[in-house]
Amino acid sequence: MGPHTVVASLEDDVRQALQVSFGRWCRVRHQAIAAALECHPLRGRVFRAASVRGSLHSGRPSPEACMPDREIVFCMIAPSAEAVVITLRATGVIRAGAAFFVLDEDGTNMLETWRLSAGDTGSADHRIGRNPASLNHCWVTWDIEVCAVLAGQDSGTVEVIISQHGVSCPITKPQRWDLSQLPQCSSGSTIPIRRGVQFHTL
């Protein structure tokens, strides 16, 4: 059975069950985001907490960065001892600060959280602490805030990469966004990218 067949089968089997759990996941995730951003390491340097909260419903988000939050994406991982690695990457003269969360299958319990920033250094990595086998059906979600460092250079790409054993994990939709017309970091405004994927062990 090829990887595309596996993905299609998983989507058919779990889509109906996810409709119920996804609503709970969204509520818990947004509560966690609000709490985490209050003490984000980039607060006051790249964006202000008030501007982050305001950017949920204002600012100049690009269409791609504000697609509906109910799109379900699956990521396939191996149930091995090798940790799953999350990479935040930003290209161009832009800066990205993010809060990440690992939630259980129902989205009711936060299992792990961390922060990453990228831009000046290109990318940043985090190894998920939980054993990959225990991540089956769990979610990894993120809240990324993006801004431009220099005036007149307001475009770039932000990407979240999930890898294991040194290679990217199969995923039903790459988590990559080509952004333009980003606000300057010095203005205190940012563009939000809020997404998540569900893990499935192969």
Side-chain angles (χ1 to χ4, degrees), residues 22-177:
F22 201 79
R24 294 197 296 270
W25 168 74
C26 287
R27 288 193 297 273
V28 172
R29 185 174 71 113
H30 285 298
Q31 291 171 357
I33 286 170
L37 288 178
E38 287 296 329
C39 55
H40 197 284
L42 295 181
R43 180 184 177 188
R45 209 154 45 87
V46 175
F47 54 82
R48 304 185 187 94
S51 298
V52 172
R53 288 194 293 270
S55 69
L56 287 168
H57 304 290
S58 62
R60 297 180 298 161
S62 69
E64 181 67 18
C66 288
M67 289 175 60
D69 212 9
R70 292 185 175 274
E71 182 180 23
I72 300 173
V73 178
F74 301 102
C75 179
M76 313 303 145
I77 60 175
S80 65
E82 184 69 22
V84 175
V85 178
I86 307 296
T87 300
L88 174 66
R89 179 177 296 165
T91 64
V93 190
I94 65 174
R95 187 168 295 166
F100 288 82
F101 312 90
V102 175
L103 305 177
D104 65 3
E105 180 176 359
D106 290 335
T108 54
N109 294 300
M110 186 190 303
L111 307 178
E112 186 176 343
T113 183
W114 66 91
R115 302 176 185 88
L116 292 175
S117 60
D120 294 344
T121 58
S123 64
D125 301 326
H126 176 83
R127 296 168 68 89
I128 294 179
R130 299 179 68 86
N131 186 288
S134 70
L135 293 174
N136 192 33
H137 295 166
C138 290
W139 303 84
V140 60
T141 71
W142 52 83
D143 177 87
I144 307 172
E145 300 289 338
V146 190
C147 57
V149 178
L150 299 178
Q153 299 186 41
D154 58 1
S155 62
T157 299
V158 173
E159 187 174 14
V160 174
I161 302 168
I162 303 172
S163 61
Q164 193 180 19
H165 297 282
V167 297
S168 297
C169 297
I171 192 167
T172 55
K173 181 179 180 180
Q175 298 299 286
R176 176 188 173 96
W177 302 273

Side-chain angles (χ1 to χ4, degrees), residues 178-190:
D178 296 315
L179 306 173
S180 60
Q181 296 184 329
L182 290 167
Q184 280 190 257
C185 299
S186 59
S187 72
S189 298
T190 60

